[in-house]
Amino acid sequence: MSAITQTIAVSARPTPLENALLVGAQAMATIAERRMRRRVARLETEPARRAGLAASRAMSDDVARYLLPR
């Protein structure tokens, strides 16, 4: 068997279109990374947020106990 190879000539500098595509791809990657980081941050803080909401609800449910004179 013989191997068939192809040589692709690549210019040293990207064309304006290639440059624009590269910049666009980098921007989209940055946006996606930021989005993922925000999502991870939200997921990490979720247990504390839920605990705070539960405590707040518990205090609201017992508001009469806190406000009525003893």
Side-chain angles (χ1 to χ4, degrees), residues 9 17 19 21 26-27 31-32 39 41-42 45-46 49-52 56-60 62-63 66-67 69:
L17 175 60
N19 201 22
L21 290 172
Q26 288 171 346
I31 290 169
R39 185 172 184 196
R42 278 195 310 264
T45 58
E46 184 66 18
R49 188 185 71 82
R50 284 185 186 221
S56 177
R57 283 193 197 109
M59 287 186 77
S60 295
D62 291 340
V63 70
Y66 291 108
L67 295 179

Side-chain angles (χ1 to χ4, degrees), residues 7-8 10 12 15 27 30 35-38 59 63:
T7 303
I8 300 173
V10 179
T15 64
T30 301
R35 209 177 273 167
M36 286 187 288
R37 287 180 189 269
R38 282 195 304 266
M59 287 186 77
V63 70

